[in-house]
Amino acid sequence: MAADSEIPPQSLLQAASQTDAAFQKIPIIDVSNATNPDPAIRHQLANQVRDACINVGFFYVKGHGIPEEDITNAVEAGKKFFELSADQKLEFDSRKSSNFKGYTALLSENNDPNGRGDLHEGFDFGPEGNDENSQGEKNAMSGANVWPTKYVPEFRDSVLSYYREAIRLGRSLFPLFALALDLPENYFEDKTKEAAAIMRVLHYPPQTGPHDDRVVGIGAHTDFECFTILWQQPNIQALQVLNADKEWINATPIEGTLVINLGDQFARWTNDIFKSTVHRAINRTGVERYSMPLFFGTDYNVKLEAIPSCVSPERPAKYEVVTAGEYVRARLQAAYGH
């Protein structure tokens, strides 16, 4: 470890106490050096990640290495599925699953308690072969997937190709987050042995005519897991991030990038030093929009307890200790209403 690139002790707490100004811009970070053999380069990159996590909770990544073909194939398969009839799509209704896998219809979710439903439809899945997970059916991150193969034969292979690439990217980010927290690079390795990641393919119809903020694409919320890897459709502005001044900042799609945003698991672990930032999506562009978020969390029984470097007498632990799986399941039940 290069001494001149280490994060000094207590710098996390000091930095957290100096974040009064509301951000106006989401940073762009080149992560092509995430696995560079030079530790000084990795630390330099981790410092950029740390600043984004403490000040914004969102950042774009370029140099992520996911082939454009995998993105295109997954999106096209999703479009074909959403073009099916309502009856065909409901054959895969996630309400038939104990683990929230499959199709969710328009307005069947409500992420903002003040809202009247989210104006999107989605298809949710997780890692293949995880139905024999030792945690069994109680694990919201495991359980068998359902696939619309009889209607869209290429759907499974297309979305899983992108899913595997996004998992690779996510695993390369965990060591950077660890360094950003002044922890050993392998700190999260034993906490993410299983691919505790759920992916969604989402379709937002255009929201036209009279409207109010109680029905939007996805209502204001924070994500549940450690972080989200989001592909959003180019040239269509919908994603917005809430800053400390309660202003909505557009997370405009930038060609060649993905959006990374932190979730509640990291916020609880870091005692809110890393921000799990409120965000929403509103599609009032007059055209259809598609996106693909992958929510990367930790294994089910990992305890979300404050990291010691994120606690002090002046900043005591804010949250009760729960397991990652218990937290995610409770939040999913609230959003889906079951």
Side-chain angles (χ1 to χ4, degrees):
M1 184 180 294
D4 61 353
S5 59
E6 289 181 359
I7 299 171
Q10 301 303 314
S11 65
L12 287 170
L13 294 170
Q14 291 168 357
S17 67
Q18 298 169 359
T19 57
D20 296 330
F23 73 88
Q24 296 296 326
K25 187 176 180 182
I26 299 170
I28 303 172
I29 300 176
D30 186 339
V31 294
S32 56
N33 278 318
T35 58
N36 190 291
D38 186 341
I41 291 176
R42 299 196 303 274
H43 273 81
Q44 186 178 43
L45 181 54
N47 285 338
Q48 295 179 54
V49 169
R50 184 189 67 156
D51 289 346
C53 292
I54 291 175
N55 293 298
V56 185
F58 269 72
F59 55 97
Y60 297 92
V61 292
K62 63 180 182 178
H64 52 73
I66 298 181
E68 192 64 33
E69 181 181 11
D70 288 338
I71 295 173
T72 300
N73 290 342
V75 174
E76 290 303 314
K79 288 180 179 179
K80 288 183 181 179
F81 173 77
F82 293 122
E83 288 170 355
L84 298 174
S85 70
D87 287 343
Q88 288 172 321
K89 288 183 286 192
L90 285 171
E91 291 180 32
F92 310 96
D93 193 338
S94 65
R95 289 173 293 188
K96 299 176 183 177
S97 164
S98 62
N99 292 307
F100 310 96
K101 302 295 177 59
Y103 174 66
T104 55
L106 291 172
L107 302 176
S108 63
E109 295 177 58
N110 191 37
N111 277 279
D112 183 349
N114 296 317
R116 294 189 286 114
D118 293 342
L119 193 64
H120 71 266
E121 55 182 342
F123 197 97
D124 296 32
F125 60 93
E128 283 285 81
N130 215 24
D131 53 310
E132 296 180 359
N133 183 284
S134 60
Q135 298 303 321
E137 287 300 304
K138 71 178 182 178
N139 188 345
M141 295 174 284
S142 68
N145 291 312
V146 297
W147 299 112
T149 305
K150 67 178 181 177
Y151 298 123
V152 188
E154 70 272 29
F155 186 92
R156 175 182 176 274
D157 288 344
S158 295
V159 298
L160 283 177
S161 290
Y162 174 81
Y163 176 89
R164 285 188 285 267
E165 285 293 320
I167 289 291
R168 175 197 55 76
L169 173 62
R171 290 198 182 283
S172 74
L173 294 178
F174 270 111
L176 296 178
F177 287 121
L179 290 176
L181 290 165
D182 197 24
L183 298 168
E185 284 184 89
N186 65 352
Y187 180 82
F188 295 108
E189 193 172 305
D190 65 346
K191 301 167 182 62
T192 54
K193 291 180 179 178
E194 299 168 10
I198 298 298
M199 179 172 151
R200 312 193 73 191
V201 182
L202 298 176
H203 168 231
Y204 298 79
Q207 190 170 2
T208 58
H211 53 71
D212 61 46
D213 282 347
R214 294 188 64 202
V215 177
V216 298
I218 293 182
H221 67 287
T222 57
D223 289 343
F224 317 152
E225 295 82 358
C226 288
F227 57 89
T228 301
I229 301 171
L230 173 70
W231 174 86
Q232 54 176 338
Q233 187 171 348
N235 304 316
I236 298 179
Q237 171 55 47
L239 179 62
Q240 296 181 319
V241 183
L242 191 66
N243 73 10
D245 287 337
K246 305 303 179 185
E247 299 168 333
W248 288 106
I249 306 300
N250 288 339
T252 304
I254 299 174
E255 185 176 357
T257 71
L258 302 170
V259 174
I260 307 294
N261 69 271
L262 302 190
D264 297 345
Q265 288 185 10
F266 262 162
R268 296 175 78 98
W269 246 336
T270 65
N271 206 29
D272 280 343
I273 287 178
F274 276 13
K275 294 191 184 322
S276 180
T277 305
V278 174
H279 54 285
R280 67 184 183 182
I282 302 178
N283 182 24
R284 292 178 182 154
T285 62
V287 297
E288 293 178 300
R289 175 184 185 256
Y290 298 89
S291 71
M292 296 188 299
L294 182 138
F295 307 98
F296 211 136
T298 64
D299 297 344
Y300 190 91
N301 284 325
V302 172
K303 290 184 178 180
L304 302 176
E305 50 189 338
I307 295 168
S309 61
C310 298
V311 179
S312 70
E314 295 75 30
R315 193 185 185 98
K318 298 181 179 181
Y319 300 104
E320 64 175 340
V321 178
V322 297
T323 67
E326 290 168 343
Y327 182 78
V328 170
R329 173 165 285 280
R331 290 290 303 273
L332 285 169
Q333 288 172 333
Y336 287 92
H338 72 285

